[in-house]
Amino acid sequence: MHVALLQTAVCADETTNMRTAASCIRWAAQQGADIAVLPEMFCCPYDPSIFAQYAQPQGGKRWQQLSALARAHNLYLVAGSVPECEGEHLYNTSFVFAPDGAQIARHRKAHLFDVAFEGKPAFRESDSFCPGHGITTFDTPFCRCGLMICYDIRFPEYALETAEAGADVIFVPACFNQRTGPAHWELLFRARAADNQIFMAGVSSALDWQATYHSYAHSIAVSPWGDVLAQLGTRPENHIVSFDLSRLAAVRRQMPLASHRKSYQNHT
């Protein structure tokens, strides 16, 4: 399975961002990608104070453009994430489209990034977004895939439930920052891959020091053994990584974690 990691530049103009995404998706198709993956909030700056300005409903203009791109280039499209509105509610949402343009999955970010680092203003996604619920999987001719968004990866039980639902690959549109990224980005992707014996792919926007939010970038792909198969830098960049799905059975046969896993009781 050939996966395109599309680490795009993001600006305040959505039209420009959509053109950038379209150009990257076209490149992915030309390179033979089966699945193209965009970053979290690829259509607008990562700034909770302005998400509502960019929000559109499922089926809206942006959704139609993404569907058309998947269909035009005959590939699966994990369309990063976008601000999605439904009535008065706003969600951080990832849509997945099949090569015929049909929507086959919608994941609303379940764990919202509400943090307060010492000496820094608090960052609260919940001031803008409502949380999603449940896990998300979708089927392709290659394997069943799972979907999470950014902060979702910090919860090992969430990845475990997704893997137990049959996902052999989990895609994670994300946008770690310059504090959390150096400390935990590679660590978390390698841990979730090794814990669950699955492939992991995280796609971030490129770093822009002029923006209000400084993305760590470093889009990444990891094998079920925890090997880093690819990791990008900080600039806008596209990369094709190949997932050899036969490795799944080999890793699981040699170290059968699923059959060794137990439930535990507190004996204190």
Side-chain angles (χ1 to χ4, degrees):
M1 182 169 71
H2 305 297
V3 177
L5 312 177
L6 305 179
Q7 184 168 284
T8 63
V10 176
C11 67
D13 181 62
E14 181 171 2
T15 299
T16 299
N17 294 331
M18 290 299 294
R19 286 175 180 165
T20 297
S23 176
C24 291
I25 294 165
R26 180 169 60 251
W27 175 89
Q30 292 170 345
Q31 300 303 310
D34 301 303
I35 299 179
V37 189
L38 289 166
E40 182 181 23
M41 292 298 155
F42 73 92
C43 66
C44 66
Y46 192 81
D47 183 343
S49 69
I50 63 172
F51 286 147
Q53 300 173 29
Y54 293 88
Q56 294 182 17
Q58 177 176 287
K61 178 182 178 182
R62 182 170 55 226
W63 183 99
Q64 294 175 30
Q65 291 173 315
L66 294 166
S67 170
L69 285 167
R71 183 171 61 251
H73 297 294
N74 192 38
L75 47 62
Y76 287 87
L77 175 60
V78 179
S81 83
V82 297
E84 178 211 3
C85 56
E86 184 177 73
E88 297 180 354
H89 300 296
L90 199 65
Y91 299 92
N92 185 342
T93 300
S94 181
F95 295 108
V96 181
F97 300 93
D100 63 359
Q103 179 186 312
I104 57 173
R106 179 182 68 178
H107 179 73
R108 289 170 167 171
K109 189 173 186 177
H111 304 89
L112 299 182
F113 190 57
D114 288 1
V115 298
F117 298 119
E118 289 185 7
K120 300 287 185 181
F123 191 99
R124 293 182 52 81
E125 269 194 324
S126 64
D127 288 345
S128 302
F129 292 125
C130 297
H133 302 282
I135 61 171
T136 302
T137 62
F138 60 95
D139 291 318
T140 73
F142 313 100
C143 65
R144 175 166 290 179
C145 300
L147 188 57
M148 305 192 298
I149 298 175
C150 202
Y151 197 50
D152 287 337
I153 198 175
R154 288 190 177 272
F155 301 88
E157 68 279 7
Y158 199 58
L160 174 60
E161 288 192 29
T162 304
E164 288 184 333
D168 290 324
V169 178
I170 296 180
F171 296 107
V172 190
C175 196
F176 276 38
N177 60 40
Q178 289 291 317
R179 183 178 184 118
T180 61
H184 301 142
W185 175 260
E186 181 179 319
L187 172 71
L188 288 168
F189 277 93
R190 295 186 69 186
R192 296 296 90 82
D195 287 348
N196 299 292
Q197 300 178 311
I198 58 175
F199 289 93
M200 296 288 298
V203 180
S204 171
S205 56
L207 170 62
D208 177 3
W209 285 114
Q210 305 305 313
T212 57
Y213 183 94
H214 301 141
S215 169
Y216 179 61
H218 288 89
S219 297
I220 192 170
V222 181
S223 82
W225 188 248
D227 302 313
V228 176
L229 302 176
Q231 185 164 183
L232 309 188
T234 59
R235 301 181 65 179
E237 184 179 355
N238 301 325
H239 184 79
I240 302 290
V241 62
S242 295
F243 289 167
D244 179 0
L245 299 176
S246 68
R247 289 198 67 188
L248 293 162
V251 169
R252 295 167 183 174
R253 182 176 61 253
Q254 295 172 67
M255 190 177 292
L257 298 184
S259 63
H260 291 166
R261 184 168 285 115
K262 299 179 179 181
S263 58
Y264 304 97
Q265 295 179 347
N266 187 342
H267 295 294
T268 59

